[in-house]
Amino acid sequence: MGKSQNATPTGDGQMGEAGDGPPSAPSAGKQPASVRMVLFALMIAMLLAMLDNMIVGTAMPTIVGELGGLEHLSWVVTAYTLATAASTPIWGKLGDMYGRKGVFLTSIVIFLIGSVLSGMAQDMGQLIGFRAVQGLGAGGLMVGVMAIIGDLIPPRERGKYQGLMAGVMAVAMIGGPLVGGTITDHLGWRWSFYINLPLGAIALIMVTAVLHLPKKRAQTRIDYVGAALLTIGITSLVLITTWGGTEYDWLSGQIIGLGILGVVALVAFLLVERKVSEPVLPLHIFRNGNFSLVTLIGFLVGFVMFGSMTFLPLFQQTVQGASATNSGLLLLPMLLAMMVVSLFAGRVTTQTGKYKIFVVVGGACITVGLALLSLMDTDTTRFTSGVYMAVLGAGMGFLMQTTMLIAQNSVEMKDMGVGSSSATLFRTIGGSFGVAIFGAIFTNQVQSTMVERIGKAGEKMTSGGAQMDPKGLAKLPPMIRDAYDHAVATGTHHVFLWGAAVSIIGFAAAWFLKEVPLRGGPVKPAESPEGGDAPVDRVAVAETV
């Protein structure tokens, strides 16, 4: 293959773009073994970030039993989520400014320090603080994985790895609760944090050994003011979605105050970002129509995905009588469909360079899947609900990695970090809003249905929250148990119905995407730098890996 005269090394060591010239590389064939080793290390880091919450969630009852502080239980999760969301865009920008490798390794080390400290916590206050440290590192893990992949592998070639990333998600969601339960029962809850150490050590050693990317040194100062304002804005939004309708009423002074603070902080952030020389979140990336559209779609995917994954296990455990211990297996039809479809879409994208059709079809599948799930009632079998979940999972498989691919293809290489972090951030915020809003809808419907069926006794049962312990449900009189089953079925019906309505927006937005050629594809003869008839391959693989 001929080598493009316009290809020049980028700051991260791979062959990048000079001006408008296409990137190129020595071969269009298999990726070098060292790149495959890097990808393996990145998948371990990705598994590290996703597995943690799944394992810790299973161990929480035991943790509360030993440390006490039940009233602060939600903060164990909230502190982690807040730190992750607030730090995500900052990690992305630091990677753009100072190089991916050092920043990524730093995020792993911080995550592992947070894990060790969390395992050593002596009371609930310490655990909450140490979980925030852990979340700070987790914010850089996912962004680092996506940005490094974006640097090493061009969008045209990246599709073939979509199934791998979807598989990691499936392993985390299925294996997390099982591993968490086993560790808690046999080793103690502290090992639910210590288990991160061997995985993190493997990732650290492998990334250090096989990823050789030159360090950058930015001449400009970090946008501390912008970072602080963005953190305040994101924190306010996450707290609103976490506390609204649970800790505080939606119209309470606390929630309204957080809303005002969040709006003021974000408006001030936008004003600051327009003036600084090196903004933490460059606003110019949103001028690209595809990037803005795919960010909106990502927000909506997070909105409906996290909502569905929250209430599907609840429906199956409560209404269908499934075991809570194997809660991860309940999502198997959805996760397998997501993995298989993601692999298929990635392969086709690599071969053809076409991707818009997958976003459109994915939006349609998610809408249809949620509409089907809204049909579930107390008589729905596990097989039927599994089929419905598979349709939803297929839609997620079409969209999850494809939207990230489009986002990264829509920004310049120098903005790969902030492009990846922005896509991740909006999906995370969408998930927070989805869980909060769907939770409010679900709770309201469960309470009203219980009151309708058994009167004031139903209101008393659900006044402290719509979820009840499965063991407690088994001891209820048949009439009350039947009423609660119908109430949960009604609640999930409304959740999925609203989810289908919201997903229509994403389906509509997909039609406006433009099929921009993916970087790393073959150049047409007229575009060939050598002027010959043979197409030049544009696989931008890091030559120094």
Side-chain angles (χ1 to χ4, degrees):
M1 291 290 180
K3 199 167 188 175
S4 169
Q5 300 301 314
N6 293 331
T8 59
T10 69
D12 273 351
Q14 82 277 1
M15 296 307 294
E17 297 180 20
D20 295 325
S24 67
S27 170
K30 294 182 178 179
Q31 302 291 352
S34 54
V35 174
R36 293 197 294 272
M37 289 293 289
V38 171
L39 288 174
F40 180 69
L42 294 179
M43 292 304 103
I44 293 177
M46 185 175 176
L47 180 64
L48 194 67
M50 297 181 125
L51 201 60
D52 182 75
N53 260 342
M54 298 292 174
I55 293 177
V56 173
T58 308
M60 281 312 299
T62 306
I63 293 174
V64 172
E66 181 173 327
L67 298 183
L70 178 62
E71 68 275 13
H72 303 304
L73 175 62
S74 63
W75 270 104
V76 176
V77 177
T78 302
Y80 182 92
T81 304
L82 273 176
T84 301
S87 64
T88 292
I90 299 172
W91 282 114
K93 186 61 180 179
L94 288 175
D96 286 340
M97 294 176 66
Y98 298 106
R100 308 266 181 253
K101 182 177 178 178
V103 171
F104 183 56
L105 291 175
T106 301
S107 70
I108 296 177
V109 171
I110 292 176
F111 181 84
L112 295 181
I113 290 173
S115 298
V116 172
L117 293 175
S118 295
M120 297 171 62
Q122 299 301 308
D123 56 51
M124 193 60 79
Q126 290 183 10
L127 181 59
I128 291 170
F130 295 149
R131 282 284 283 169
V133 174
Q134 198 181 18
L136 186 65
L141 287 179
M142 288 299 294
V143 173
V145 168
M146 295 301 176
I148 292 174
I149 289 176
D151 277 347
L152 296 184
I153 304 170
R156 180 63 180 267
E157 291 296 308
R158 206 174 306 148
K160 67 178 69 172
Y161 301 102
Q162 287 184 193
L164 180 63
M165 288 181 270
V168 170
M169 177 181 287
V171 168
M173 291 185 173
I174 295 172
L178 298 176
V179 173
T182 302
I183 289 175
T184 303
D185 291 340
H186 296 90
L187 298 175
W189 67 265
R190 296 182 187 278
W191 279 95
S192 63
F193 296 104
Y194 295 151
I195 193 65
N196 293 327
L197 298 181
L199 284 175
I202 293 172
L204 273 175
I205 293 170
M206 291 187 66
V207 171
T208 302
V210 300
L211 181 63
H212 305 293
L213 301 179
K215 294 182 179 179
K216 295 180 182 178
R217 184 63 188 175
Q219 300 300 316
T220 55
R221 296 180 59 187
I222 297 176
D223 177 20
Y224 292 107
V225 175
L229 290 171
L230 182 61
T231 300
I232 293 172
I234 292 173
T235 300
S236 299
L237 291 177
V238 174
L239 286 178
I240 288 172
T241 58
T242 303
W243 286 345
T246 54
E247 295 286 330
Y248 304 102
D249 186 80
W250 283 103
L251 297 179
S252 66
Q254 291 88 342
I255 298 301
I256 293 175
L258 282 171
I260 295 173
L261 177 63
V263 170
V264 171
L266 292 176
V267 169
F269 168 75
L270 293 176
L271 295 175
V272 168
E273 296 304 276
R274 296 177 62 182
K275 297 180 179 180
V276 295
S277 59
E278 197 66 42
V280 68
L281 183 59
L283 301 182
H284 67 81
I285 62 176
F286 292 97
R287 295 173 188 163
N288 183 294
N290 268 11
F291 186 84
S292 295
L293 282 171
V294 85
T295 300
L296 171 63
I297 294 171
F299 174 89
L300 296 173
V301 168
F303 190 97
V304 299
M305 183 185 74
F306 286 103
S308 63
M309 287 187 173
T310 299
F311 295 100
L312 273 173
L314 179 61
F315 175 86
Q316 292 190 309
Q317 291 173 30
T318 303
V319 180
Q320 297 180 329
S323 169
T325 305
N326 299 321
S327 57
L329 296 176
L330 302 175
L331 301 174
L332 192 58
M334 179 170 65
L335 296 172
L336 282 179
M338 180 180 69
M339 184 170 60
V340 171
V341 170
S342 182
L343 181 61
F344 165 77
R347 290 287 181 180
V348 174
T349 299
T350 297
Q351 293 170 6
T352 66
K354 303 296 182 182
Y355 52 83
K356 178 178 177 178
I357 183 63
F358 296 131
V359 185
V360 173
V361 173
C365 286
I366 283 185
T367 302
V368 172
L370 289 168
L372 289 172
L373 287 169
S374 73
L375 301 177
M376 295 191 304
D377 56 27
T378 54
D379 297 322
T380 302
T381 65
R382 293 190 192 178
F383 175 80
T384 301
S385 60
V387 172
Y388 295 166
M389 282 191 288
V391 177
L392 178 63
M396 289 162 54
F398 280 124
L399 288 174
M400 284 292 290
Q401 300 303 326
T402 306
T403 52
M404 178 62 75
L405 182 149
I406 297 172
Q408 292 181 332
N409 192 62
S410 301
V411 299
E412 299 177 39
M413 291 298 294
K414 68 181 181 68
D415 291 324
M416 185 64 69
V418 292
S420 302
S421 64
S422 297
T424 303
L425 173 64
F426 279 93
R427 187 179 295 176
T428 302
I429 296 296
S432 296
F433 273 84
V435 171
I437 294 174
F438 285 158
I441 293 172
F442 178 81
T443 300
N444 181 65
Q445 290 299 321
V446 168
Q447 290 176 342
S448 61
T449 302
M450 288 294 287
V451 171
E452 179 183 326
R453 285 182 169 266
I454 58 176
K456 291 185 177 180
E459 182 179 5
K460 185 177 180 180
M461 284 180 59
T462 57
S463 59
Q467 298 185 37
M468 295 182 63
D469 181 76
K471 293 181 180 179
L473 286 174
K475 300 177 182 179
L476 293 175
M479 182 183 73
I480 298 178
R481 172 62 192 265
D482 181 69
Y484 191 72
D485 286 350
H486 279 87
V488 171
T490 301
T492 52
H493 163 75
H494 282 83
V495 163
F496 292 126
L497 197 61
W498 277 103
V502 170
S503 65
I504 291 175
I505 302 174
F507 174 65
W511 287 95
F512 293 93
L513 287 170
K514 295 180 180 179
E515 195 90 65
V516 178
L518 296 174
R519 287 193 293 263
V523 180
K524 296 179 181 179
E527 299 173 325
S528 173
E530 290 77 21
D533 293 331
V536 178
D537 190 77
R538 298 169 57 193
V539 181
V541 178
E543 294 189 336
T544 58
V545 173

